Amino acid sequence: MGFLPRRDQGTKISEDQVYAALSTVQEPELGGDLVSRKMIKNVQIDGGKIAVTVELTTPACPLKDEIQADCERALRTIPGVTDVTIEFTANVRRNAGIPEQAVIPGVTNVIAVAAGKGGVGKSTVAANLAIALSQEGARVGLLDADIHGPSVPILLGMRGMGQPEVFQTPGGEPMIIPYERYGIKLISVGFLIDEQQPVIWRGPMVTQMLRQFIRNVNWAPLDYLVVDMPPGTGDVALTLAQSLPLSGALIVTTPQMMATADVVKAIQMFNRVNVPMLGIVENMAYFIAPDTGNRYDIFGTGGAARLAQELDLPLLGQIPLGMSVRAGSDEGVPAVLTDAPDAYAEVFRAVARQLAARISVMAFA
Ligand code: ADP
């Protein structure tokens, strides 16, 4: 720092002033102010210019803009300020309820994406949310554990990739190297089994496969591992729900009543094994005709909202039916990577941010 001319010394801004100003800014979701929450990581003062780094609990924070505006407003009350720069970093925390020995090394949060039954778009939502979280700056993995119908290889355009490579740790343990696609790491049961051979999964096989997924995949470091669960509440789904160190589960449903009835069973399954519910995503919620812009509630309306209210769970978002969502899945380029209006990338991203926020809130609960 150079010598300041004498007359400027009276208006020199101090770090104390910066911290005092920022201590008036509340963390909108978790409560408390940014300073006592130790979210201010770096303060630089250069004459009238202040630069501050704020550490969030997720890079996908939906309230980033609000926090930024509040910090700027607070800092501008300091006499002599000319410029304010707010930068963000993130430190994703783990749900403290998960026992240390169950944690997957280097993986902070494991999120189950589940559904009461097949065909509601669970895999589509899981893949798009995983990529959306990574687009927000998080380190993300996707585990396709839908052992009866692994669809991630198709959704991400990775059919026929064959078995991933394996290396030996210094301790002699085999470690599977996950594939990387669109910024996320991924493993699918589809890569590990022969697509042509139907597999009859029995308890010990599921347990063994699970062990491999948890212990023998080189996932680390990840902020979020999204798990595409088998639909329903059968043995395999239950074994997974019980054995994965889940931070929480997200339920995907469609507005039809039948789908929502099955959803209750899926939620009960997670409740029974003490996995917290992160919320509900309503997929295929409505259709907007591309030619007229008219909205059609093809499968009825309000089912998921009613269910969310009855069960006291957040409805994290509603994803419309979109031709480009379907086309993206078939072509192996998920909707969030395209900008077609009916790919609803922004809707998926908004759901991803809500999900990340909910996980942060739970980690601090
Ligand atoms: P699940 O995993 O629940 O069995 P999938 O994700 O495989 O369901 O989706 C079933 C079908 O519905 C796929 O063809 C997929 O492309 C399509 N789909 C899913 N979500 C949407 C959506 N929002 N709009 C249009 N098609 C969708």
Side-chain angles (χ1 to χ4, degrees):
M1 186 168 255
F3 292 101
L4 292 170
R6 224 168 206 300
R7 64 178 181 284
D8 284 344
Q9 280 179 359
T11 59
K12 202 175 154 200
I13 297 166
S14 72
E15 269 198 20
D16 285 350
Q17 283 176 293
V18 171
Y19 279 103
L22 292 174
S23 70
T24 66
V25 178
Q26 299 290 303
E27 170 18 284
E29 204 142 38
L30 302 169
D33 70 87
L34 303 192
V35 176
S36 29
R37 284 204 148 272
K38 303 195 168 33
M39 291 170 68
I40 307 304
K41 289 298 160 191
N42 188 14
V43 172
Q44 282 185 344
I45 303 162
D46 179 8
K49 295 181 188 163
I50 303 176
V52 169
T53 304
V54 179
E55 185 185 81
L56 302 169
T57 55
T58 172
C61 178
L63 300 167
K64 209 188 261 182
D65 292 347
E66 187 181 324
I67 295 173
Q68 172 152 8
D70 289 352
C71 288
E72 282 183 7
R73 203 173 307 120
L75 291 172
R76 286 196 183 279
T77 62
I78 301 172
V81 167
T82 55
D83 285 285
V84 172
T85 312
I86 311 290
E87 288 189 355
F88 290 101
T89 63
N91 180 8
V92 179
R93 314 289 167 88
R94 174 149 51 87
N95 188 327
I98 295 170
E100 197 65 39
Q101 67 275 14
V103 169
I104 304 178
V107 178
T108 309
N109 287 291
V110 186
I111 307 161
V113 178
K117 61 173 191 173
V120 299
K122 169 183 57 63
S123 300
T124 304
V125 170
N128 279 292
L129 290 185
I131 298 172
L133 285 169
S134 122
Q135 287 175 331
E136 298 285 318
R139 298 166 300 180
V140 184
L142 176 60
L143 167 57
D144 176 9
D146 187 351
I147 61 179
H148 299 298
S151 50
V152 163
I154 301 169
L155 291 178
L156 301 193
M158 300 191 71
R159 270 190 106 162
M161 291 291 284
Q163 300 226 346
E165 280 184 44
V166 175
F167 73 96
Q168 302 275 327
T169 65
E173 203 163 341
M175 285 297 268
I176 300 170
I177 304 172
Y179 284 118
E180 295 209 29
R181 185 78 155 174
Y182 305 134
I184 62 173
K185 293 183 180 175
L186 70 122
I187 281 291
S188 167
V189 190
F191 298 139
L192 305 178
I193 57 173
D194 183 346
E195 270 185 54
Q196 311 304 322
Q197 295 291 321
V199 180
I200 299 163
W201 291 90
R202 304 203 187 280
M205 286 169 73
V206 176
T207 313
Q208 195 196 344
M209 180 70 90
L210 247 178
R211 253 192 77 79
Q212 281 197 344
F213 286 156
I214 295 175
R215 293 287 150 213
N216 299 97
V217 176
N218 197 29
W219 290 118
L222 291 185
D223 297 314
Y224 304 104
L225 176 60
V226 177
V227 182
D228 184 7
M229 298 281 287
T233 52
D235 277 356
V236 176
L238 180 62
T239 306
L240 282 163
Q242 240 165 353
S243 344
L244 286 167
L246 294 170
S247 294
L250 172 76
I251 300 282
V252 181
T253 183
T254 55
Q256 301 98 308
M257 283 316 284
M258 274 308 287
T260 50
D262 287 329
V263 161
V264 174
K265 280 195 230 157
I267 292 173
Q268 283 166 345
M269 175 183 80
F270 286 107
N271 284 345
R272 263 206 310 278
V273 296
N274 293 322
V275 172
M277 290 308 303
L278 296 167
I280 297 173
V281 172
E282 188 175 51
N283 189 30
M284 312 191 194
Y286 52 89
F287 176 68
I288 297 191
D291 44 358
T292 61
N294 288 342
R295 171 177 163 148
Y296 297 92
D297 293 317
I298 294 180
F299 299 122
T301 178
R306 258 195 312 276
L307 189 81
Q309 203 180 13
E310 272 168 31
L311 300 172
D312 196 21
L313 288 174
L315 178 57
L316 297 177
Q318 293 176 291
I319 299 158
L321 263 170
M323 302 260 279
S324 298
V325 177
R326 206 265 316 135
S329 294
D330 287 354
E331 286 155 16
V333 185
V336 279
L337 294 163
T338 71
D339 51 15
D342 62 348
Y344 299 108
E346 207 32 67
V347 179
F348 280 110
R349 275 195 281 276
V351 176
R353 289 191 285 265
Q354 290 306 319
L355 176 65
R358 176 93 170 139
I359 293 168
S360 294
V361 170
M362 283 185 162
F364 285 94

